[in-house]
């Protein structure tokens, strides 16, 4: 019953509401599924990237941070693939009407990478038209337990990889690896209070430059989740701001200069 209500909302209301939303290319919804209305809350604030943790259990892909409790378990199809497919079909072929950049869905694999990927590709078969072409409406990139070589060698190219700094300078294309991510705490001990150490800020800027040289986006997870750090990281060249605070980041980004 819940999914029926969700799809009804999507088809009847969401496209009209999204037409009025400013798309925020730098906004990434960390653990998006933990919000009251997964996907839709992020869309209502203009987020262009969302994250879903996925478990393969008994032949089904479930979305949950830890091993899901089955009486509350929700599938990847229910929460993301079906709604995104419906929205793209009724909204001029894009998630946000007339928005040229693709929408990003990051899949963080929590179970065995190879097995989960193979099941994932089966699940994606009905949606492959959304994932291919010169400028597809949807880009899915795989994080967590990444079966890197399998994805690199898969000629279907329906999904991409969430890269790591160690993946730079290996010839991976932007299409294969659109985003490079790393734990903020591996770069800095900064809590977000006061100013970040000069050397730590310099290291972040240097990494951003390396990532941008390959025409990729930089994402840091585990950042101090508040406006001062968001501003500092944006100015350092971080492209995707990882947050649990949808409303606050939306308000912050909407008040930033548009020439960045």
């Amino acid at each position: 019953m819940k999914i029926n209500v969700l799809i009804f909302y999507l088809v009847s209301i969401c496209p009209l509401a999204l037409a009025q939303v400013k798309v925020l290319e730098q906004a990434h919804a960390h653990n998006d599924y933990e919000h009251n209305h997964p996907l839709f809350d992020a869309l209502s604030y203009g987020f262009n990237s969302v994250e879903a943790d996925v478990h393969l259990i008994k032949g089904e892909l479930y979305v949950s941070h830890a091993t899901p409790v089955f009486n509350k378990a929700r599938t990847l199809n229910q929460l993301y693939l079906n709604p995104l497919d419906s929205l793209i079909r009724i909204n001029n072929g894009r998630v946000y009407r007339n928005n040229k950049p693709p929408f990003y869905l990051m899949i963080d694999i929590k179970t065995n990478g190879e097995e989960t990927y193979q099941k994932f590709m089966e699940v994606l078969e009905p949606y492959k038209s959304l994932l291919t072409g010169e400028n597809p409406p949807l880009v899915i990139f795989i994080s967590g337990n990444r079966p890197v070589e399998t994805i690199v060698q898969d000629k279907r190219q329906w999904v991409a990889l969430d890269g790591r700094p160690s993946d730079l300078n290996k010839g991976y294309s932007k299409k294969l690896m659109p985003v490079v991510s790393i734990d903020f705490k591996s770069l800095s001990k900064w809590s977000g209070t006061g100013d970040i150490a000069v050397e730590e800020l310099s290291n972040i800027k240097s990494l951003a430059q390396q990532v941008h040289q390959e025409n990729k986006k930089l994402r840091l997870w585990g950042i101090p989740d508040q406006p001062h750090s968001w501003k500092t990281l944006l100015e350092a060249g971080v492209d995707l701001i990882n947050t649990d605070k949808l409303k606050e980041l939306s308000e912050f980004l909407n008040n930033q200069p548009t020439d960045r």
Side-chain angles (χ1 to χ4, degrees), residues 175-214:
K175 178 177 175 59
L176 179 61
M177 189 175 289
V179 179
V180 172
S181 304
I182 187 173
D183 187 353
F184 174 79
K185 295 179 181 63
S186 70
L187 301 173
S188 173
K189 298 178 181 179
W190 186 47
S191 68
T193 301
D195 293 328
I196 188 172
V198 172
E199 183 177 356
E200 293 174 351
L201 181 61
S202 177
N203 289 339
I204 294 171
K205 288 181 177 179
S206 177
L207 176 59
Q209 290 175 354
Q210 295 175 56
V211 171
H212 296 161
Q213 284 174 357
E214 297 193 8

Short mmCIF file of all heavy atoms in Angstrom, two decimals, residues 175-214:
data_model
loop_
_atom_site.label_atom_id
_atom_site.label_comp_id
_atom_site.label_asym_id
_atom_site.label_seq_id
_atom_site.Cartn_x
_atom_site.Cartn_y
_atom_site.Cartn_z
N LYS A 175 33.08 8.57 -17.78
CA LYS A 175 31.87 7.74 -17.87
C LYS A 175 31.97 6.54 -16.93
O LYS A 175 31.01 6.18 -16.25
CB LYS A 175 31.66 7.27 -19.31
CG LYS A 175 30.44 6.36 -19.49
CD LYS A 175 30.25 5.99 -20.95
CE LYS A 175 29.11 4.99 -21.12
NZ LYS A 175 27.82 5.51 -20.63
N LEU A 176 33.14 5.92 -16.88
CA LEU A 176 33.33 4.75 -16.03
C LEU A 176 33.46 5.12 -14.56
O LEU A 176 33.02 4.38 -13.68
CB LEU A 176 34.57 3.97 -16.48
CG LEU A 176 34.92 2.73 -15.67
CD1 LEU A 176 33.80 1.70 -15.73
CD2 LEU A 176 36.23 2.13 -16.17
N MET A 177 34.02 6.31 -14.29
CA MET A 177 34.28 6.73 -12.91
C MET A 177 34.01 8.23 -12.79
O MET A 177 34.91 9.06 -12.81
CB MET A 177 35.71 6.39 -12.51
CG MET A 177 36.03 6.59 -11.05
SD MET A 177 37.72 6.01 -10.67
CE MET A 177 37.51 4.23 -10.82
N PRO A 178 32.74 8.63 -12.68
CA PRO A 178 32.40 10.05 -12.66
C PRO A 178 32.73 10.76 -11.34
O PRO A 178 32.86 11.98 -11.31
CB PRO A 178 30.89 10.05 -12.88
CG PRO A 178 30.43 8.73 -12.35
CD PRO A 178 31.54 7.77 -12.66
N VAL A 179 32.87 9.98 -10.26
CA VAL A 179 33.08 10.55 -8.93
C VAL A 179 34.24 9.84 -8.26
O VAL A 179 34.42 8.63 -8.41
CB VAL A 179 31.81 10.40 -8.06
CG1 VAL A 179 32.04 10.96 -6.66
CG2 VAL A 179 30.61 11.08 -8.73
N VAL A 180 35.03 10.62 -7.53
CA VAL A 180 36.09 10.06 -6.69
C VAL A 180 35.78 10.46 -5.25
O VAL A 180 35.54 11.63 -4.96
CB VAL A 180 37.48 10.59 -7.10
CG1 VAL A 180 38.55 10.16 -6.10
CG2 VAL A 180 37.84 10.10 -8.50
N SER A 181 35.77 9.48 -4.35
CA SER A 181 35.37 9.72 -2.97
C SER A 181 36.44 9.24 -2.00
O SER A 181 37.19 8.30 -2.29
CB SER A 181 34.06 8.98 -2.66
OG SER A 181 33.03 9.35 -3.55
N ILE A 182 36.47 9.89 -0.83
CA ILE A 182 37.40 9.49 0.22
C ILE A 182 36.85 9.97 1.56
O ILE A 182 36.13 10.98 1.63
CB ILE A 182 38.82 10.07 -0.03
CG1 ILE A 182 39.82 9.50 0.98
CG2 ILE A 182 38.81 11.58 -0.01
CD1 ILE A 182 41.27 9.87 0.69
N ASP A 183 37.20 9.27 2.62
CA ASP A 183 36.81 9.64 3.97
C ASP A 183 37.51 10.94 4.36
O ASP A 183 38.74 11.03 4.31
CB ASP A 183 37.20 8.52 4.93
CG ASP A 183 36.70 8.73 6.35
OD1 ASP A 183 36.15 9.82 6.65
OD2 ASP A 183 36.87 7.81 7.18
N PHE A 184 36.73 11.95 4.73
CA PHE A 184 37.30 13.23 5.14
C PHE A 184 38.32 13.06 6.26
O PHE A 184 39.36 13.74 6.29
CB PHE A 184 36.18 14.17 5.60
CG PHE A 184 36.66 15.48 6.17
CD1 PHE A 184 37.07 16.51 5.35
CD2 PHE A 184 36.71 15.67 7.55
CE1 PHE A 184 37.52 17.71 5.87
CE2 PHE A 184 37.16 16.86 8.09
CZ PHE A 184 37.57 17.90 7.25
N LYS A 185 38.06 12.14 7.16
CA LYS A 185 38.93 11.96 8.33
C LYS A 185 40.30 11.42 7.95
O LYS A 185 41.24 11.48 8.75
CB LYS A 185 38.25 11.04 9.34
CG LYS A 185 36.98 11.64 9.95
CD LYS A 185 36.33 10.70 10.94
CE LYS A 185 35.05 11.29 11.52
NZ LYS A 185 34.03 11.51 10.47
N SER A 186 40.45 10.89 6.74
CA SER A 186 41.77 10.46 6.29
C SER A 186 42.60 11.64 5.79
O SER A 186 43.81 11.51 5.58
CB SER A 186 41.64 9.42 5.16
OG SER A 186 41.14 10.02 3.97
N LEU A 187 41.95 12.79 5.62
CA LEU A 187 42.62 14.00 5.14
C LEU A 187 42.76 15.06 6.20
O LEU A 187 43.64 15.92 6.10
CB LEU A 187 41.84 14.60 3.95
CG LEU A 187 41.66 13.72 2.71
CD1 LEU A 187 40.72 14.41 1.73
CD2 LEU A 187 43.00 13.43 2.06
N SER A 188 41.88 15.02 7.20
CA SER A 188 41.84 16.12 8.17
C SER A 188 41.23 15.68 9.50
O SER A 188 40.34 14.83 9.52
CB SER A 188 41.03 17.28 7.59
OG SER A 188 40.84 18.30 8.55
N LYS A 189 41.72 16.29 10.57
CA LYS A 189 41.15 16.08 11.91
C LYS A 189 40.19 17.21 12.29
O LYS A 189 39.69 17.24 13.41
CB LYS A 189 42.28 15.99 12.94
CG LYS A 189 43.22 14.82 12.71
CD LYS A 189 44.34 14.81 13.75
CE LYS A 189 45.30 13.65 13.51
NZ LYS A 189 46.41 13.65 14.51
N TRP A 190 39.93 18.10 11.36
CA TRP A 190 39.11 19.29 11.63
C TRP A 190 37.69 18.92 12.03
O TRP A 190 37.05 18.10 11.38
CB TRP A 190 39.11 20.16 10.38
CG TRP A 190 38.45 21.50 10.52
CD1 TRP A 190 38.61 22.41 11.51
CD2 TRP A 190 37.55 22.09 9.58
NE1 TRP A 190 37.88 23.54 11.27
CE2 TRP A 190 37.21 23.38 10.09
CE3 TRP A 190 37.00 21.68 8.37
CZ2 TRP A 190 36.34 24.24 9.42
CZ3 TRP A 190 36.15 22.53 7.70
CH2 TRP A 190 35.82 23.80 8.22
N SER A 191 37.20 19.55 13.09
CA SER A 191 35.84 19.30 13.58
C SER A 191 34.82 20.25 12.98
O SER A 191 33.62 20.10 13.21
CB SER A 191 35.81 19.43 15.11
OG SER A 191 36.04 20.78 15.49
N GLY A 192 35.29 21.24 12.22
CA GLY A 192 34.40 22.25 11.66
C GLY A 192 34.36 23.52 12.47
O GLY A 192 33.78 24.53 12.04
N THR A 193 34.99 23.52 13.65
CA THR A 193 35.07 24.72 14.49
C THR A 193 36.36 25.47 14.19
O THR A 193 37.44 24.86 14.10
CB THR A 193 35.04 24.33 15.98
OG1 THR A 193 33.83 23.61 16.25
CG2 THR A 193 35.10 25.57 16.86
N GLY A 194 36.26 26.78 14.04
CA GLY A 194 37.44 27.56 13.70
C GLY A 194 37.86 27.30 12.26
O GLY A 194 37.03 26.94 11.41
N ASP A 195 39.15 27.44 11.99
CA ASP A 195 39.66 27.25 10.63
C ASP A 195 40.38 25.90 10.52
O ASP A 195 41.06 25.46 11.45
CB ASP A 195 40.63 28.37 10.26
CG ASP A 195 39.94 29.72 10.15
OD1 ASP A 195 38.75 29.72 9.76
OD2 ASP A 195 40.57 30.74 10.45
N ILE A 196 40.26 25.29 9.37
CA ILE A 196 40.96 24.06 9.10
C ILE A 196 42.45 24.34 9.00
O ILE A 196 42.87 25.44 8.58
CB ILE A 196 40.43 23.42 7.80
CG1 ILE A 196 41.01 22.02 7.59
CG2 ILE A 196 40.69 24.30 6.59
CD1 ILE A 196 40.38 21.27 6.43
N ALA A 197 43.28 23.38 9.40
CA ALA A 197 44.72 23.55 9.32
C ALA A 197 45.15 23.80 7.88
O ALA A 197 44.61 23.19 6.94
CB ALA A 197 45.42 22.30 9.86
N VAL A 198 46.11 24.70 7.71
CA VAL A 198 46.55 25.10 6.38
C VAL A 198 47.01 23.90 5.56
O VAL A 198 46.67 23.77 4.37
CB VAL A 198 47.68 26.15 6.48
CG1 VAL A 198 48.27 26.44 5.11
CG2 VAL A 198 47.16 27.44 7.12
N GLU A 199 47.80 23.03 6.16
CA GLU A 199 48.32 21.88 5.43
C GLU A 199 47.19 20.93 5.01
O GLU A 199 47.20 20.40 3.89
CB GLU A 199 49.33 21.12 6.28
CG GLU A 199 49.98 19.94 5.55
CD GLU A 199 51.04 19.25 6.39
OE1 GLU A 199 51.34 19.72 7.50
OE2 GLU A 199 51.57 18.22 5.91
N GLU A 200 46.21 20.74 5.89
CA GLU A 200 45.10 19.86 5.56
C GLU A 200 44.26 20.44 4.43
O GLU A 200 43.84 19.72 3.51
CB GLU A 200 44.24 19.63 6.80
CG GLU A 200 44.95 18.83 7.88
CD GLU A 200 44.16 18.71 9.17
OE1 GLU A 200 43.12 19.39 9.30
OE2 GLU A 200 44.58 17.94 10.04
N LEU A 201 44.03 21.74 4.49
CA LEU A 201 43.27 22.40 3.42
C LEU A 201 44.03 22.31 2.09
O LEU A 201 43.43 22.07 1.04
CB LEU A 201 43.02 23.86 3.78
CG LEU A 201 42.23 24.68 2.76
CD1 LEU A 201 40.83 24.09 2.56
CD2 LEU A 201 42.11 26.14 3.22
N SER A 202 45.33 22.47 2.15
CA SER A 202 46.15 22.37 0.95
C SER A 202 46.07 20.97 0.34
O SER A 202 45.99 20.82 -0.89
CB SER A 202 47.61 22.70 1.29
OG SER A 202 48.45 22.55 0.16
N ASN A 203 46.04 19.95 1.19
CA ASN A 203 45.94 18.57 0.69
C ASN A 203 44.59 18.33 -0.01
O ASN A 203 44.53 17.64 -1.03
CB ASN A 203 46.12 17.58 1.83
CG ASN A 203 47.55 17.53 2.34
OD1 ASN A 203 48.48 17.91 1.63
ND2 ASN A 203 47.74 17.08 3.57
N ILE A 204 43.52 18.90 0.54
CA ILE A 204 42.20 18.76 -0.07
C ILE A 204 42.16 19.47 -1.42
O ILE A 204 41.66 18.94 -2.41
CB ILE A 204 41.11 19.28 0.87
CG1 ILE A 204 41.01 18.41 2.13
CG2 ILE A 204 39.75 19.33 0.15
CD1 ILE A 204 40.12 18.96 3.21
N LYS A 205 42.73 20.68 -1.46
CA LYS A 205 42.77 21.43 -2.72
C LYS A 205 43.58 20.67 -3.77
O LYS A 205 43.19 20.62 -4.95
CB LYS A 205 43.38 22.81 -2.48
CG LYS A 205 42.48 23.77 -1.73
CD LYS A 205 43.17 25.13 -1.57
CE LYS A 205 42.26 26.14 -0.89
NZ LYS A 205 42.92 27.46 -0.70
N SER A 206 44.68 20.09 -3.36
CA SER A 206 45.53 19.35 -4.29
C SER A 206 44.78 18.13 -4.84
O SER A 206 44.84 17.84 -6.05
CB SER A 206 46.81 18.90 -3.59
OG SER A 206 47.62 18.11 -4.44
N LEU A 207 44.07 17.42 -3.96
CA LEU A 207 43.30 16.27 -4.42
C LEU A 207 42.20 16.71 -5.37
O LEU A 207 41.97 16.06 -6.40
CB LEU A 207 42.69 15.54 -3.22
CG LEU A 207 41.77 14.36 -3.54
CD1 LEU A 207 42.51 13.29 -4.34
CD2 LEU A 207 41.20 13.75 -2.25
N ALA A 208 41.52 17.80 -5.06
CA ALA A 208 40.47 18.31 -5.94
C ALA A 208 41.02 18.62 -7.33
O ALA A 208 40.40 18.31 -8.35
CB ALA A 208 39.83 19.55 -5.33
N GLN A 209 42.21 19.21 -7.38
CA GLN A 209 42.83 19.52 -8.67
C GLN A 209 43.11 18.26 -9.47
O GLN A 209 42.88 18.20 -10.68
CB GLN A 209 44.11 20.32 -8.45
CG GLN A 209 43.88 21.74 -7.95
CD GLN A 209 45.17 22.46 -7.61
OE1 GLN A 209 46.26 21.88 -7.64
NE2 GLN A 209 45.07 23.74 -7.29
N GLN A 210 43.61 17.23 -8.79
CA GLN A 210 43.89 15.97 -9.48
C GLN A 210 42.61 15.34 -10.03
O GLN A 210 42.58 14.84 -11.15
CB GLN A 210 44.56 14.99 -8.51
CG GLN A 210 45.93 15.41 -8.02
CD GLN A 210 46.46 14.44 -6.96
OE1 GLN A 210 46.56 13.23 -7.20
NE2 GLN A 210 46.78 14.94 -5.79
N VAL A 211 41.56 15.38 -9.22
CA VAL A 211 40.28 14.82 -9.65
C VAL A 211 39.72 15.60 -10.84
O VAL A 211 39.24 15.02 -11.82
CB VAL A 211 39.28 14.83 -8.47
CG1 VAL A 211 37.88 14.44 -8.95
CG2 VAL A 211 39.74 13.86 -7.38
N HIS A 212 39.81 16.92 -10.77
CA HIS A 212 39.27 17.77 -11.84
C HIS A 212 40.07 17.65 -13.13
O HIS A 212 39.51 17.83 -14.22
CB HIS A 212 39.23 19.23 -11.37
CG HIS A 212 38.30 19.45 -10.22
ND1 HIS A 212 38.36 20.55 -9.40
CD2 HIS A 212 37.26 18.69 -9.74
CE1 HIS A 212 37.41 20.47 -8.47
NE2 HIS A 212 36.74 19.34 -8.67
N GLN A 213 41.34 17.32 -13.02
CA GLN A 213 42.15 17.11 -14.22
C GLN A 213 41.62 15.94 -15.04
O GLN A 213 41.81 15.88 -16.25
CB GLN A 213 43.61 16.88 -13.84
CG GLN A 213 44.34 18.15 -13.44
CD GLN A 213 45.75 17.88 -12.93
OE1 GLN A 213 46.18 16.73 -12.80
NE2 GLN A 213 46.48 18.93 -12.63
N GLU A 214 40.95 15.00 -14.37
CA GLU A 214 40.34 13.86 -15.05
C GLU A 214 38.85 14.09 -15.30
O GLU A 214 38.13 13.16 -15.67
CB GLU A 214 40.57 12.58 -14.25
CG GLU A 214 42.05 12.23 -14.12
CD GLU A 214 42.31 10.84 -13.61
OE1 GLU A 214 41.34 10.05 -13.48
OE2 GLU A 214 43.49 10.52 -13.36
#
